[in-house]
Amino acid sequence: MTGGRRDDAALVLPSAGPDPIPLGTALAAVLGYARGRRPLFFRSPSAPHGRWFQVLAYGFDRFDGQPPETGERPTDRDVLLAEGLHGRLDRAGWRAVRTDLDEVWPLVHDLRARADGRAFWELPDDEFSVLAEPGTVGAVLRSLTDRPHARHVAAALHHRHPSLVPLVDGVTRRQLWGHVREGDSGPEAVVSREVHANAAALARLETATATLLGRPVTRLRLHDVLVWLAGSLRMTHAVAVGRALAAESGLEAALAR
């Protein structure tokens, strides 16, 4: 903090932990999440005794790296994209998510109409207050994800609308709930407060991430990645992998923030 103003080179995300996250650390974490690999021992007909392979450690390429569906109605591929992030569903679960997407689609239209072209981080606080309900963005989001397979539904909708629908799952929801205040419409209100409070730092992280990865990632997704890494105890691993990848590519200076 300098002269009463927050240092925009660090992210202050209470849902991710008590300490500020320097911008370079956040960028390393995102790079590690997007490009990090882990060893996997695998047997196949061509290698019956098994071999070690390096596979992607996280779901970035299977989810963020895939082009979105663009039609006017949900499709089977929406479910497949959600599975790319959260894992395969059994047959009953797959049908349930596909049915849920059909059922919530009118609410998605309501959400977009209410946002009126604004991104999530451009919405006022009242949109996430129960005092302004019904019809607020927060109320609609609560209806969208208040179902048994909420994390797959949220993932499918976020992939369609990455600047408007937060990506909240079991891990991040537990991280966010502790910071919900009286009058909040739900954990999305916490996301709104944190992306507003860290607007400058998240804008810088968006720019740096797009440069390193060669594709844009919204600040809504970047916030989700950092909170998820912290809540799943993977932050240390992702940061270390990201720094190692940067060193191999001669990009250490990009993380020296």
Side-chain angles (χ1 to χ4, degrees):
M1 192 83 72
T2 303
R5 298 179 62 188
R6 174 169 290 168
D7 178 6
D8 66 3
L11 292 134
V12 180
L13 305 177
S15 61
D19 300 320
I21 306 172
L23 186 62
T25 302
L27 186 55
V30 174
L31 180 60
Y33 177 85
R35 297 285 182 260
R37 293 180 175 270
R38 65 178 179 86
L40 176 69
F41 191 74
F42 180 72
R43 290 187 175 90
S44 66
S46 61
H49 298 294
R51 291 176 54 194
W52 284 103
F53 293 87
Q54 291 290 321
V55 300
L56 289 167
Y58 305 108
F60 185 88
D61 273 2
R62 297 188 302 272
F63 183 72
D64 303 88
Q66 302 301 313
E69 288 290 87
T70 57
E72 290 300 317
R73 297 294 306 168
T75 70
D76 291 353
R77 187 169 177 271
D78 286 302
V79 185
L80 293 174
L81 288 166
E83 286 184 313
L85 183 66
H86 291 312
R88 294 291 299 275
L89 294 157
D90 60 21
R91 185 172 298 179
W94 203 98
R95 284 198 301 267
V97 172
R98 185 65 180 82
T99 299
D100 282 347
L101 288 174
D102 282 325
E103 291 178 353
V104 304
W105 216 247
L107 295 175
V108 176
H109 287 290
D110 293 344
L111 178 66
R112 296 178 66 190
R114 180 77 179 197
D116 193 24
R118 294 170 294 179
F120 181 92
W121 52 88
E122 296 171 333
L123 297 170
D125 293 343
D126 282 352
E127 290 295 334
F128 303 97
S129 170
V130 296
L131 300 178
E133 293 183 7
T136 62
V137 167
V140 177
L141 288 172
R142 188 171 63 242
S143 299
L144 288 173
T145 56
D146 186 18
R147 46 201 68 242
H149 295 281
R151 65 175 187 162
H152 283 80
V153 172
L157 297 178
H158 173 83
H159 203 278
R160 286 259 191 166
H161 307 288
S163 296
L164 184 58
V165 179
L167 209 171
V168 179
D169 69 0
V171 172
T172 55
R173 189 173 294 275
R174 286 190 293 273
Q175 293 288 108
L176 294 165
W177 264 116
H179 303 278
V180 171
R181 300 173 184 171
E182 184 177 358
D184 283 349
S185 59
E188 292 82 7
V190 181
V191 179
S192 175
R193 278 196 293 273
E194 293 190 353
V195 296
H196 279 146
N198 294 275
L202 284 168
R204 292 182 63 186
L205 185 59
E206 277 182 324
T207 300
T209 298
T211 300
L212 278 184
L213 300 182
R215 64 164 62 101
V217 183
T218 69
R219 65 191 66 183
L220 200 54
R221 175 64 165 136
L222 292 171
H223 177 275
D224 168 71
V225 167
L226 294 172
V227 175
W228 184 82
L229 288 172
S232 62
L233 305 181
R234 292 174 170 88
M235 179 68 83
T236 300
H237 172 261
V239 170
V241 170
R243 286 176 173 158
L245 290 170
E248 291 173 8
S249 305
L251 298 172
E252 300 99 321
L255 307 185
R257 308 285 180 92

